[in-house]
Each structure stands twice: as C-alpha cells, then as structure tokens.
Amino acid sequence: MILKPHLEDVQIIGYYLGKITIGIGLFMLVPVICACALGEINPLLDFLIGIGISFLVGFLLTAICFTDRDLNWMQGMIVVSLCWLLAMLLGAIPLFLSGHYRSFLDACFETMSGFATTGLTLVQDLDHLSYAHNLWRHLIMFIGGQGIVIVALSLFVKGFSGAFKMYVGEARDERVLPNVIHTSRFIWLVSVVYLALGTLALGITGIINGMKPFNAFFHGACIFMAAFDTGGFSPQSQNVLYYHSFPFEIITIIIMFLGAINFKLHYHLWTGNFKELAKNIEMRMLFFTVTITFLLVAIGLYKLHTYPQALMLFRKGFYQLISGHTGTGFQTIYALQFNEWGDLALVGIICAMALGGAVCSTTGAIKMLRIGIIFRALKEDVKRIMLPEKAVLFEKFHHIKEIFLEDKQVRSALLVTLCYLLLYFIGALVGMLCGYPFLFSLFESTSAAANVGLSCGITSVTMPAVLKTTYILQMWVGRLEFMSIFTLLGFIVAAIKGK
Amino acid sequence: MTQGKLILRAATGIALEILYAFIVMGVALLACVLLYLKK
C-alpha cells in the first residue's frame, strides 16, 4: 500500500524551497554590482526584475509554508530536485530579457546547462553579450558546481540536521569533515583559493598574449569558474579556441584536473596526507582511463591523418579528451570539426565523457570510484573461480582509508552505472528520432547527461524543442544522480495513487 | 601547529595536485610523439 503524502510534507518542502529561492535572488546581486560598476543599464534592469521575481516567490513560499520543523530524508530529496528546476526558471529570466535567446526554453536550456555545469549553449551573438549577463552565466556554473544547496547551506543557514539530507540529495555522498556545514565551507575554501590562483595565472597569460588587463582578468575569472567547476562556458563564442595560446590551454587542463579531484582528497592533500594521491583508487583509475581513452583517440586521429604533427595531436586530441573526461566541455576545435575525427576517436571521447571524474567533485557521469569498485568486484569474482572452493576471499581498495569491498557497494555502483548508461541511450534514441546519425546522437546525449558540454554540432538554436527539453532533463537527472529524482517521482505517484 | 606550517602543507598539497596533472599530460604527449616517430 502506498501512503498519501501529508499536507505537512508539502508545507516543509515549500518552506525550504522558499529559503533557497531567496538565496538565488541574493546571488543575482553580483551581476547587479557588475552592471552598476560598468554602467550597463539594460542588464541592470534585467537582473532587478529577476531579483524581484525571486524574492517574491521566495518570500511567498516561506510565508505561506512557514514551519519550524526539520526535513526528513524524503522531503530533503524532493527539495533538492525541485530547487534545481526552480533555479533554472528564475535564473533564466535575466538571460531571456537580454534578447540573446530565441525563446524562454533556450534561456532555460542555458541556465540548466550552467547550474548542472554542462556547458552546452544556445546563446546567440555571445561576443556582444553584456559583462553582467556573461558574469551571471559563469556564476551559475560556479554555484551549480558547488551545489545550489551547498551554497545556501554555507552562506544562509546556521545549521540544522536536514542539511545533510539535502547535501546527499545533491549527489554528494561523502562528507569531508564530520559537520556538513563545515564540509560545505571547506568546499568553498578550496574553490576560492583556486579561484584566486587560477584567475591570476590566466589573467597574466592573457596580458602576455596581448589582452587588455581588465579583459584578461575578467576572462581569466570566467574561464577559471567554468574550468574548475567543470562547466565549459566561455565569454567568447569560439570557446577556448579564441585564445590561440598553448600556455592558456595547459593552465586550463590543470584547472580541469583540479576540478575533477574529490574534495575529500583535496582536504587530505592540503592537510599533509601526501601519499593519498598515489594510493587513492580514484586517482589511479583516472590515470588509467585517461590513458586508455586517449590511446583510442590518438590512434583514431593518427590513422585518419587528421593532425600532421604530434604537438597538434596533443593540443587538439588530448585537450578535447581531458575536457570530456573531466566533464568540462571546453573546445579548441569547432563543433563541426568532430566530423573529421572518425568513429574510433569519437568512441574514445564518448567513453571518456561517460566515465567522468571523482565522486564529491564538480564533475558528472559515472565517476571513478564506481568504476574502481566494479573492477575490484570483477577481480574478486575471477579469483573466486581460480582459487580452491574453501579459500577465504576478500578484496579491498584504498579511498582515504583501506575499505573492504562489500556486496552493497558493488550493487550501488552497478545500479548507478546502469542508470547512466540508460540515460545516455535514451537521449541518443531521441536524437535519432529527430533525424541525427547514431554516433553523433550518442555523443551529444552523453555530453548532456554526463554534464560535459562538448558538442559535435547538434546543439544549436535550430534543433527541435523536444530535443532541447530532453537534454534539459538529462542534465538535471545526470547532475543529481537519480536518487532525488526517483524520490520526487515516487512522491508524485504517492500523491496520485496513495491512500 | 603554526599558521606558517599549515600554509606550507596546503601549498605542498596544491603542488602535488598540479604535478599529477603534469604527469598525465606528459604520458599523453609521449604517446603522441611515439606514434609519430613510428612513421
């Protein structure tokens, strides 16, 4: 028997949604300050309208649904899944008002792509977009990378036990520190330290390359936010290709790697546990999968003579691969140039995108810990077949500490992997129904669902609305890693069928 | 532990993370060079 949800459940969900909505409105103050400083009057009005609507929705929800009760697991999960949709709708308002989007759906696509740190874009005439709107595009990526709820937790909430439920709902199943609020603040510390270092490095490189100092540091900050949060937006329509700079590419590769590392590992490395880098199963798997998938790409490109020199192969092949593997989506080639890559190289990139970076990082996709666990389980099964029946077998892996492999870990890793594979293929199927070839449909679908952002040319303002909607849903489901979405679906079913 | 030591540890951690990225890049570059040397 399914139990019908109580009105109290809706009230608690509404109250916390309202709180987070106010938080989103407050974040719009950053582009407002930018617009004021640079004298951008029209963008200023766009953001004031956005803030007004966010505050109206937020205060109405908190007033109507006021409660002093804490969240339970189901409510926490539902708040997370709904707050991402609400954030998309509210964040899209100033972007739509900019006039650079053909429809509100396109603006929603852009906002979900930003919050989910995907990087697929439908903006028109990006090179003439205002600084304030451009900053907002990158800021939503930064907020989404940390997790919308993480941001709200660390800045606007003093502490409550429901915090951990929302933290888990946002696909962050590891706590760096015992207290979830301290964990979210540490995530902010790492991000801000790297923001300063990365912006400085990219800004100086920009100045050396001939950019004006203001532009160099503005671009540096935007590119850093997009790289560290493995997002992939860029202030220019040509993406990273715009900079035509090898040092710029090297710095962004390093930042993409840093973004793909587990925040828990950052903590251990920053506090003196240096050996963890070599022993950690995720870092070992990342090295292994990057090498294997790059070999596929390199051999594929070499056979087709796509690039005439080794350095070109590295700059084009390896860059797109790391961008795909870490879930960033920066490109140093035009989208349609993937046509010249051939099937083998495309399969290599698709595999890299499907795998992703570390858990509790800003990347999406299946992730290295799960791949590592599946490999270990496979190894254990092979051993079981080869050893005598009475032999006692146990497999362990190193992730911060030595962990014995248990069936429930394997089951969970396999279930999430299966869900991701299904999600990739559903998107590919919709792409094919819209008339695109299989490999390209799979490429774009994997890119959306794994929150990568590489595009082989399908994502454009002219693609069918059904495909835009499919990609929005894939980005949302892929970023939240299924559990909170399934809980929301269960809640809806219970509300309809429950007794 | 003094503030200086804490900062030094964090800086070493950051340096190691960057070193890891350089090692992966180095392996990839080596693979590219070897592939073209074969020709």
Side-chain angles (χ1 to χ4, degrees), chain A residues 65-351:
Chain A
C65 305
F66 180 78
T67 177
D68 54 1
R69 293 194 60 178
D70 212 345
L71 290 158
N72 63 28
W73 274 105
M74 179 195 72
Q75 293 155 356
M77 292 282 180
I78 293 167
V79 167
V80 168
S81 52
L82 287 178
C83 90
W84 278 71
L85 288 181
L86 199 58
M88 174 192 77
L89 293 170
L90 295 169
I93 294 168
L95 290 182
F96 177 62
L97 293 174
S98 72
H100 284 260
Y101 295 87
R102 188 183 269 191
S103 63
F104 190 68
L105 180 65
D106 285 13
C108 285
F109 184 98
E110 187 90 359
T111 318
M112 182 54 89
S113 177
F115 276 126
T117 69
T118 306
L120 292 170
T121 181
L122 290 179
V123 64
Q124 292 181 305
D125 195 17
L126 174 60
D127 299 339
H128 296 103
L129 189 67
S130 72
Y131 282 106
H133 284 108
N134 232 332
L135 182 64
W136 179 237
R137 285 173 76 239
H138 289 84
L139 193 64
I140 56 176
M141 209 157 240
F142 201 58
I143 299 168
Q146 319 307 311
I148 296 172
V149 171
I150 290 279
V151 172
L153 286 180
S154 49
L155 299 182
F156 311 117
V157 177
K158 283 192 177 144
F160 59 98
S161 67
F164 182 61
K165 286 138 194 170
M166 295 203 287
Y167 176 78
V168 172
E170 253 183 353
R172 291 274 162 78
D173 41 8
E174 287 193 318
R175 269 189 284 188
V176 180
L177 294 158
N179 180 316
V180 72
I181 303 292
H182 291 164
T183 296
S184 42
R185 285 185 185 150
F186 178 76
I187 289 175
W188 269 100
L189 174 74
V190 173
S191 306
V192 171
V193 167
Y194 276 130
L195 175 67
L197 293 174
T199 305
L200 192 70
L202 291 169
I204 291 170
T205 313
I207 292 170
I208 293 168
N209 287 340
M211 290 173 82
K212 288 178 186 167
F214 176 78
N215 264 347
F217 282 104
F218 180 78
H219 281 229
C222 287
I223 292 289
F224 171 82
M225 284 191 265
F228 186 73
D229 288 290
T230 61
F233 279 161
S234 162
Q236 296 290 331
S237 57
Q238 286 179 314
N239 210 277
V240 175
L241 181 64
Y242 171 81
Y243 304 98
H244 281 294
S245 163
F246 189 44
F248 204 91
E249 287 165 21
I250 295 292
I251 295 169
T252 47
I253 288 176
I254 292 168
I255 301 171
M256 289 191 274
F257 261 114
L258 296 173
I261 293 176
N262 191 325
F263 279 107
K264 204 169 181 174
L265 183 61
H266 280 300
Y267 176 78
H268 280 266
L269 289 173
W270 285 29
T271 49
N273 184 8
F274 304 131
K275 285 180 184 169
E276 188 59 33
L277 189 68
K279 289 198 285 186
N280 193 284
I281 186 173
E282 290 199 286
M283 298 315 285
R284 287 184 175 190
M285 284 310 297
L286 187 65
F287 182 82
F288 175 71
T289 55
V290 166
T291 309
I292 296 293
T293 49
F294 178 63
L295 282 178
L296 286 179
V297 171
I299 293 168
L301 293 174
Y302 174 75
K303 281 193 168 183
L304 290 176
H305 304 290
T306 313
Y307 299 110
Q309 300 157 349
L311 191 62
M312 283 294 280
L313 178 63
F314 177 79
R315 283 186 68 178
K316 302 297 178 186
F318 185 70
Y319 195 90
Q320 317 317 306
L321 180 101
I322 283 303
S323 176
H325 208 311
T326 57
T328 310
F330 278 157
Q331 287 188 215
T332 52
I333 59 172
Y334 292 106
L336 292 177
Q337 282 182 294
F338 276 117
N339 282 319
E340 302 163 5
W341 273 39
D343 292 351
L344 185 60
L346 281 183
V347 167
I349 291 269
I350 292 170
C351 289

Side-chain angles (χ1 to χ4, degrees), chain A residues 287-458:
Chain A
F287 182 82
F288 175 71
T289 55
V290 166
T291 309
I292 296 293
T293 49
F294 178 63
L295 282 178
L296 286 179
V297 171
I299 293 168
L301 293 174
Y302 174 75
K303 281 193 168 183
L304 290 176
H305 304 290
T306 313
Y307 299 110
Q309 300 157 349
L311 191 62
M312 283 294 280
L313 178 63
F314 177 79
R315 283 186 68 178
K316 302 297 178 186
F318 185 70
Y319 195 90
Q320 317 317 306
L321 180 101
I322 283 303
S323 176
H325 208 311
T326 57
T328 310
F330 278 157
Q331 287 188 215
T332 52
I333 59 172
Y334 292 106
L336 292 177
Q337 282 182 294
F338 276 117
N339 282 319
E340 302 163 5
W341 273 39
D343 292 351
L344 185 60
L346 281 183
V347 167
I349 291 269
I350 292 170
C351 289
M353 290 196 294
L355 294 172
V359 297
C360 197
S361 68
T362 59
T363 65
I366 298 169
K367 297 191 176 128
M368 290 296 104
L369 184 60
R370 295 190 185 107
I371 301 293
I373 286 174
I374 293 169
F375 264 100
R376 292 283 172 174
L378 202 67
K379 191 176 153 194
E380 192 184 20
D381 278 5
V382 172
K383 269 189 189 171
R384 187 165 288 139
I385 294 165
M386 294 178 76
L387 289 171
E389 272 182 40
K390 284 183 181 174
V392 180
L393 261 180
F394 60 87
E395 193 67 42
K396 55 182 183 176
F397 59 92
H398 188 91
H399 178 55
I400 310 298
K401 59 185 182 199
E402 291 294 322
I403 302 168
F404 285 99
L405 190 68
E406 292 172 22
D407 281 349
K408 64 176 183 186
Q409 294 160 340
V410 180
R411 182 173 170 270
S412 160
L414 280 169
L415 270 177
V416 175
T417 305
L418 183 68
C419 286
Y420 267 113
L421 293 178
L422 274 174
L423 192 64
Y424 300 152
F425 280 102
I426 288 169
L429 211 62
V430 177
M432 285 191 291
L433 286 171
C434 292
Y436 297 102
F438 169 69
L439 208 54
F440 280 25
S441 299
L442 186 62
F443 184 102
E444 209 82 358
S445 161
T446 308
S447 179
N451 303 132
V452 177
L454 285 176
S455 174
C456 60
I458 292 179

